Amino acid sequence: MKVERCECCGRELIGVKDKCTTCREKTVLVSTDKVFPLFSYRLWNKELMFRWKMQDERAFSPFFAGLIAEALRIIGDTVLVPVPPRKGKIRKKGWDQIDELCTFLALRYGFKVLKILERNTSEQQKKLSRSERLEHIKTAYALKNITFKLPSSVCLIDDVCTTGSTIESCAFLLKSAGIKTVNVVTLFTVD
């Protein structure tokens, strides 16, 4: 069964076409072209995410990378831009799940990965309310010093879309650098 999704944020639609109620009231995602979440963040999906991200069960990484690779082939994007981790995360935890996904996507599936974004802050987004996230995110990311020609289309990769503030901030930076199309693939979206 095909799930109908919001054309702006990718959340599952219930009885309405095109946009979810949140995006009809105030669209957060204006710099993204399309958002493709693979699953809703509920039930067993929450458990999978917790075990992978918080309990460091890295065996999920190749599985998730395979699912993302399938979606990317359908979408047609081949140049990936990972959402960068918080400062100090890799030093503290020893790994970053998005970086690991992109490593699998590059080495196993042949996608090109451009690590052109960096995170300015070390504060966790999950501890902030929606309005705090939207305010905080404006300065949380930056574009690295780039000395090569950027592609016209990229796909931003993240694990979960909660409010959309992270992917919007990153997509805005990518578009301001001259990239014309910024699609997004996330494993999960919070409905």
Side-chain angles (χ1 to χ4, degrees):
M1 180 174 127
K2 185 176 186 272
V3 175
E4 295 294 323
R5 297 206 171 265
C6 175
E7 65 184 24
C8 296
C9 70
R11 288 191 178 110
E12 189 173 336
L13 291 174
I14 303 171
V16 181
K17 290 192 176 207
D18 301 330
K19 292 184 181 182
C20 68
T21 53
T22 304
C23 289
R24 280 185 292 169
E25 290 171 14
K26 182 180 182 199
T27 301
V28 172
L29 301 174
V30 293
S31 298
T32 59
D33 291 284
K34 290 273 186 186
V35 179
F36 302 94
L38 302 184
F39 304 103
S40 292
Y41 186 63
R42 50 182 124 121
L43 304 173
W44 62 271
N45 294 337
K46 288 175 101 171
E47 176 69 19
L48 282 178
M49 177 75 139
F50 179 78
R51 289 176 59 185
W52 178 53
K53 195 171 176 177
M54 308 311 273
Q55 294 182 327
D56 300 333
E57 291 190 30
R58 295 172 75 172
F60 285 114
S61 296
F63 170 71
F64 288 146
L67 295 174
I68 290 173
E70 280 183 45
L72 290 168
R73 286 201 174 97
I74 292 168
I75 297 164
D77 284 324
T78 58
V79 180
L80 313 179
V81 177
V83 171
R86 297 185 312 281
K87 290 186 181 276
K89 178 182 180 183
I90 294 175
R91 189 175 350 106
K92 183 178 179 183
K93 288 193 64 110
W95 74 297
D96 173 58
Q97 71 279 1
I98 303 305
D99 183 58
E100 188 159 284
L101 279 178
C102 287
T103 298
F104 275 104
L105 289 165
L107 298 177
R108 189 174 282 178
Y109 299 100
F111 291 96
K112 183 175 182 179
V113 177
L114 294 179
K115 296 180 180 182
I116 57 176
L117 295 173
E118 60 187 353
R119 181 106 180 236
N120 295 326
T121 62
S122 59
E123 189 174 10
Q124 290 183 340
Q125 288 284 97
K126 69 181 179 183
K127 296 181 179 181
L128 304 175
S129 70
R130 181 177 172 83
S131 60
E132 290 171 326
R133 284 179 189 218
L134 293 172
E135 188 57 38
H136 174 262
I137 205 71
K138 291 177 184 173
T139 58
Y141 296 93
L143 205 56
K144 291 181 179 179
N145 189 14
I146 299 165
T147 59
F148 54 88
K149 185 176 179 345
L150 291 171
S152 63
S153 177
V154 299
C155 187
L156 196 58
I157 303 292
D158 204 0
D159 53 0
V160 65
C161 176
T162 306
T163 62
S165 57
T166 295
I167 58 177
E168 175 57 25
S169 177
C170 292
F172 176 79
L173 288 170
L174 295 170
K175 288 235 173 148
S176 67
I179 295 172
K180 293 185 181 358
T181 305
V182 178
N183 291 319
V184 180
V185 170
T186 64
L187 286 168
F188 305 102
T189 188
V190 176
D191 293 323

